[in-house]
Amino acid sequence: MTPMKEDYLKIIFELGGTKKKVSNKQIALSLDIAAGSVTEMVGKLVQEGLAKHTPYAGISLTKKGIRYAETLVRKHRIWEDFLVDKLHYGLPDVHSEAEVLEHVTSERLVDSLEAFLGNPTHCPHGGAIPDKEGHYQEDSHTSLADSQDGDEVAIERFIDNHDLLMYLHDIDLQIGQDVTVMKHDPFEGPVTIEVKATGQKIPVSYKAAHNVFVK
């Protein structure tokens, strides 16, 4: 399987495609690619029995696709945990390293890493880590963009994307923060939130708000 197909499986997994339909627009925003490219790749995943597509509804993973995605995500996120916790990498810097390492990691090695790290349940950017049997705590799939003005939510996780993580670091948005959603600006404008602990008001861009998940 090509790295690009694996990236699609992982992003559909991250966006909740194990339980619901994910739109082409969501995938395109998260991967920062054209919607036409998504349509072409989704067709290939469907042909290989990894995904199913319902016109005007979206894409979800098949059982085969879910299991493949869980294996990829487990290796990737365990390496991210190791890089941040043991080698003190900055959060925006771990994705590209983990992307390489996951493809050369045997089941024996990932099992050993998992035990060495104390069986972590979540990676540094908040995503759940499936265990060897595919068990994990289901992530929230409610994006900041989907929240309503006045909602009081906690920042739970970020999509694993280097540019996104750099941007969120620059605006000082952090996992675990309790925030109030102040307003959604029209015409794909930012979502403004207020951090409860500090009163700081942060405008989060339209694209970033679709890749930040809250509960």
Side-chain angles (χ1 to χ4, degrees):
M1 179 176 292
T2 65
M4 181 59 72
K5 285 181 183 177
E6 292 181 344
D7 285 345
Y8 270 81
L9 287 176
K10 286 187 292 185
I11 206 66
I12 296 170
F13 177 92
E14 283 205 65
L15 292 171
T18 62
K19 301 288 186 183
K20 65 175 187 176
K21 298 291 185 181
V22 176
S23 70
N24 282 24
K25 180 180 178 180
Q26 287 176 290
I27 297 171
L29 280 169
S30 296
L31 292 177
D32 196 21
I33 56 176
S37 299
V38 175
T39 301
E40 182 180 352
M41 181 59 78
V42 165
K44 292 178 181 178
L45 295 177
V46 170
Q47 286 179 349
E48 294 178 23
L50 297 167
K52 47 191 174 184
H53 177 248
T54 304
Y56 309 108
I59 304 104
S60 59
L61 298 178
T62 62
K63 288 184 178 180
K64 177 182 176 182
I66 290 171
R67 191 59 189 138
Y68 205 110
E70 287 172 347
T71 300
L72 290 169
V73 166
R74 178 173 180 246
K75 290 179 179 180
H76 188 93
R77 292 179 175 174
I78 284 175
W79 272 118
E80 288 186 327
D81 193 72
F82 176 81
L83 291 168
V84 170
D85 187 50
K86 301 303 180 184
L87 299 186
H88 311 298
Y89 271 61
L91 184 56
D93 302 324
V94 297
H95 174 72
S96 57
E97 300 280 15
E99 192 79 7
V100 173
L101 291 164
E102 72 182 61
H103 293 112
V104 294
T105 301
S106 67
E107 287 300 316
R108 178 181 178 184
L109 177 54
V110 75
D111 289 348
S112 297
L113 272 173
E114 184 179 47
F116 175 69
L117 294 168
N119 302 302
T121 59
H122 290 78
C123 72
H125 55 85
I129 301 176
D131 66 16
K132 189 174 183 177
E133 284 74 40
H135 302 135
Y136 52 94
Q137 179 181 331
E138 190 69 33
D139 290 327
S140 166
H141 298 298
T142 301
S143 73
L144 180 60
D146 292 333
S147 62
Q148 302 298 312
D149 292 355
D151 283 354
E152 297 183 351
V153 297
I155 305 298
E156 183 181 56
R157 66 185 178 95
F158 308 140
I159 289 289
D160 192 2
N161 174 283
H162 176 267
D163 291 340
L164 172 71
L165 295 173
M166 288 293 293
Y167 169 77
L168 297 176
H169 178 269
D170 288 344
I171 65 173
D172 200 27
L173 189 64
Q174 301 172 25
I175 290 169
Q177 285 176 321
D178 293 317
V179 305
T180 301
V181 181
M182 305 299 291
K183 64 174 181 174
H184 293 64
D185 281 356
F187 301 108
E188 299 189 355
V191 178
T192 301
I193 60 175
E194 181 178 17
V195 180
K196 288 187 179 182
T198 63
Q200 178 188 12
K201 290 183 173 61
I202 303 175
V204 183
S205 75
Y206 175 83
K207 184 181 290 186
H210 280 84
N211 292 308
V212 173
F213 294 88
V214 299
K215 63 178 179 179

